[in-house]
Amino acid sequence: MAQNRMLQFVTVPKAMPDKRDANVRAQDFHEIYREYADAKAAEQAGRCSQCGVPYCQSHCPLHNNIPDWLRLTAEGRLQEAYEISQATNTFPEICGRICPQDRLCEGNCVIEQSGHGTVTIGAIEKYITDTAWDMGWVKPVKPREERAESVAIIGAGPGGLAAADVLRRQGVQVTVYDRYDRAGGLLTYGIPGFKLEKDVVMQRIAQLEQGGVQFQMNCNVGEDIAFDAIRGKHDAVIIATGVYKSRDLGGPNAGAQGIVRAIDYLTASNRKSFGDDVPEFDSGELDAKGKRVVVIGGGDTAMDCVRTAIRQGAQSVKCLYRRDRANMPGSQREVANAEEEGVEFVWLTAPKGFMAGDAVEGVLVERMRLGAPDATGRQAPEVIEGADYVEDADLVIKALGFEPEDLPALWGTEGLEVTRWGTIKANFGTHATSLPGVYAVGDIVRGASLVVWAIRDGREAADSVLGYLNEVQAVAAE
């Protein structure tokens, strides 16, 4: 399966029908494709100017040593390139696929800024790591020596998994608790498979399991096990739950059938890709096939929804966003991809309510204009009175972003401080919370953010936990 994830730099010409054995033909194709991909990866990597101030590196949250692994790729030294790539990034093959490179490394490439087109950093990162998996360069975690201390990680998303990897490499005993039946968090159930193939995520989880990380799945903290019980069983705790509470919409008929949350819609689609039994999808409730779909929102989750609906065979897909294209928070690359696939963006529009009989029939839309800047500096949308209209819809997907759950209340925990936004209050350097030996990372601290930031947080928090365990050990030895 990994062979089908080769970097798609080129289109391989169609060949005449080949009557040889299918396995032989597949092997020939793989070899030809590898040659093309190798050549294109080297060609793109060779475009790097090796500038004295690598803005690509400084604008990467992980500060990956991008120029060095590009140079090694250009020289054909792929294993060395992989070693450098994974030294600062726990999941380079995942970041290569889903990072918004146009807003990070590639968008700040000197060559891009000079008008000659960016080096395709993300595609090369993906290619290097996929090659590493194919060639067997990626090995299970094997600590030099085992430690007696154990750490609990609540949440099996990118932040939690990154922390687990760092801790296991130092011999710490790690148990990951997660409410779902598969690890990965939004990597598994939130991001569509056409952006992040699920076997890519599963192979990393398998690597962690082979390295000794214990996973307690279908375990809802606060219900199946108390947070205080977890603290009692382990020497330290890292909270990496993410944010899953969806922002909602009001207005007439807001609760009508056919108006669904983005997380439910995307989870159902991803579960079907695993072959799971998903009654809500099979009944048509969470399936866009043949429907007029309206997605409300302008972030990356909205882009995932519109592109998923296209692939499910929707009759039409429209995205309503209250600001204009220039002020859209989602990746401009994703917007362009969606437009190419047939999505229609309706800028400067917002839902006022819904038309419904037995189920939703349309969205009552009010037109907007941009007024004075708000507190963030962005122009605030204002309603244009008397310009309302109805957008026909059979399925409305709310992709308005996510908020944190009230963890202290859900877990019955006293002393765990939160911010006025409901996120856990943690030191941004050490990730320590108000509770001794308890750390927090990722979206539950930052609010809804990028996978790459969660990975960085997880790695940093693991280092802080190691320091904490060493201090406790030193005090005990005195």
Side-chain angles (χ1 to χ4, degrees):
M1 201 165 189
Q3 293 178 356
N4 293 327
R5 300 195 303 269
M6 303 294 289
L7 185 61
Q8 296 182 11
F9 281 118
V10 294
T11 301
V12 178
K14 292 184 179 179
M16 294 295 292
D18 192 336
K19 297 182 180 179
R20 293 175 298 161
D21 179 80
N23 291 330
V24 174
R25 295 199 306 272
Q27 182 178 355
D28 287 350
F29 176 83
H30 175 59
E31 290 175 356
I32 294 170
Y33 202 70
R34 168 72 74 179
E35 290 177 6
Y36 274 105
D38 283 346
K40 278 297 181 180
E43 176 188 317
Q44 274 293 316
R47 295 182 62 235
C48 176
S49 65
Q50 298 293 319
C51 53
V53 182
Y55 293 108
C56 59
Q57 184 172 353
S58 63
H59 284 80
C60 170
L62 291 166
H63 300 307
N64 289 327
N65 193 348
I66 296 169
D68 278 3
W69 54 255
L70 286 177
R71 176 178 54 81
L72 290 168
T73 301
E75 295 172 358
R77 298 157 64 183
L78 291 183
Q79 186 167 2
E80 294 171 77
Y82 164 71
E83 294 295 339
I84 290 178
S85 173
Q86 63 85 40
T88 52
N89 188 353
T90 316
F91 312 118
E93 73 280 16
I94 291 174
C95 288
R97 285 169 162 83
I98 64 173
C99 264
Q101 289 94 3
D102 57 329
R103 291 169 12 213
L104 300 173
C105 56
E106 293 182 13
N108 291 279
C109 172
V110 169
I111 296 175
E112 168 73 5
Q113 297 298 320
S114 64
H116 296 289
T118 187
V119 175
T120 56
I121 296 169
I124 297 169
E125 182 178 40
K126 167 186 176 293
Y127 174 67
I128 291 170
T129 318
D130 284 354
T131 300
W133 281 102
D134 287 347
M135 301 301 291
W137 300 335
V138 184
K139 304 294 184 183
V141 176
K142 288 187 178 180
R144 292 182 179 178
E145 59 180 347
E146 296 288 347
R147 298 180 59 148
E149 302 99 326
S150 69
V151 173
I153 298 174
I154 304 175
L161 296 179
D165 180 85
V166 172
L167 290 168
R168 270 307 293 151
R169 291 181 188 278
Q170 297 302 315
V172 176
Q173 310 309 307
V174 178
T175 301
V176 180
Y177 299 84
D178 195 271
R179 69 180 75 177
Y180 293 105
D181 57 341
R182 293 182 180 91
L186 289 177
L187 299 178
T188 298
Y189 287 133
I191 299 172
F194 60 84
K195 286 175 60 177
L196 177 60
E197 307 95 316
K198 300 311 162 185
D199 63 301
V200 171
V201 181
M202 295 300 113
Q203 70 184 359
R204 275 295 180 186
I205 294 167
Q207 181 208 25
L208 291 171
E209 287 181 314
Q210 292 164 10
V213 175
Q214 301 294 315
F215 286 90
Q216 294 289 328
M217 307 310 298
N218 296 305
C219 182
N220 202 341
V221 177
E223 295 181 8
D224 302 311
I225 185 171
F227 178 70
D228 288 341
I230 290 177
R231 290 188 72 193
K233 289 177 61 175
H234 300 277
D235 298 289
V237 178
I238 297 176
I239 301 172
T241 56
V243 290
Y244 282 86
K245 181 182 177 182
S246 299
R247 295 193 180 107
D248 214 343
L249 284 171
N253 299 311
Q257 182 180 346
I259 303 174
V260 303
R261 302 187 308 163
I263 188 64
D264 297 332
Y265 175 69
L266 293 172
T267 298
S269 178
N270 280 313
R271 283 195 176 279
K272 287 300 291 186
S273 72
F274 280 108
D276 293 353
D277 182 24
V278 187
E280 297 87 352
F281 183 92
D282 296 335
S283 69
E285 179 184 351
L286 296 176
D287 184 2
K289 185 177 181 179
K291 296 179 180 178
R292 298 166 297 178
V293 178
V294 172
V295 176
I296 301 170
D300 291 333
T301 300
M303 297 305 96
D304 291 343
C305 291
V306 295
R307 298 183 69 195
T308 297
I310 287 289
R311 283 159 176 76
Q312 289 178 349
Q315 178 182 327
S316 64
V317 181
K318 295 185 179 182
C319 181
L320 307 185
Y321 182 56
R322 60 181 182 160
R323 290 185 170 92
D324 60 7
R325 184 180 191 131
N327 286 280
M328 194 173 191
S331 167
Q332 290 297 317
R333 183 180 295 176
E334 284 283 295
V335 174
N337 289 338
E339 287 179 325
E340 290 174 359
E341 293 168 3
V343 175
E344 180 183 345
F345 287 86
V346 188
W347 309 110
L348 294 166
T349 56
K352 186 177 182 178
F354 302 91
M355 313 299 292
D358 294 334
V360 68
E361 298 172 358
V363 182
L364 179 58
V365 178
E366 51 188 8
R367 296 191 183 276
M368 318 290 286
R369 60 172 168 254
L370 294 180
D374 61 16
T376 67
R378 299 168 72 198
Q379 287 180 278
E382 301 173 345
V383 176
I384 300 175
E385 298 295 339
D388 299 352
Y389 74 100
V390 175
E391 194 74 72
D392 293 336
D394 306 306
L395 175 63
V396 177
I397 303 172
K398 300 176 291 184
L400 302 167
F402 301 97
E403 297 175 340
E405 298 164 295
D406 186 353
L407 294 187
L410 288 174
W411 294 352
T413 301
E414 295 184 2
L416 182 62
E417 295 183 9
V418 298
T419 68
R420 61 192 176 100
W421 300 281
T423 53
I424 293 177
K425 187 179 291 185
N427 183 289
F428 274 91
T430 65
H431 302 277
T433 71
S434 55
L435 297 176
V438 178
Y439 300 76
V441 303
D443 290 0
I444 195 58
V445 176
R446 295 178 176 273
S449 187
L450 300 175
V451 167
V452 66
W453 280 111
I455 294 172
R456 171 174 168 168
D457 287 355
R459 292 172 66 93
E460 287 181 346
D463 288 338
S464 295
V465 168
L466 289 168
Y468 169 77
L469 296 177
N470 290 337
E471 288 178 9
V472 171
Q473 190 179 64
V475 169
E478 291 179 355

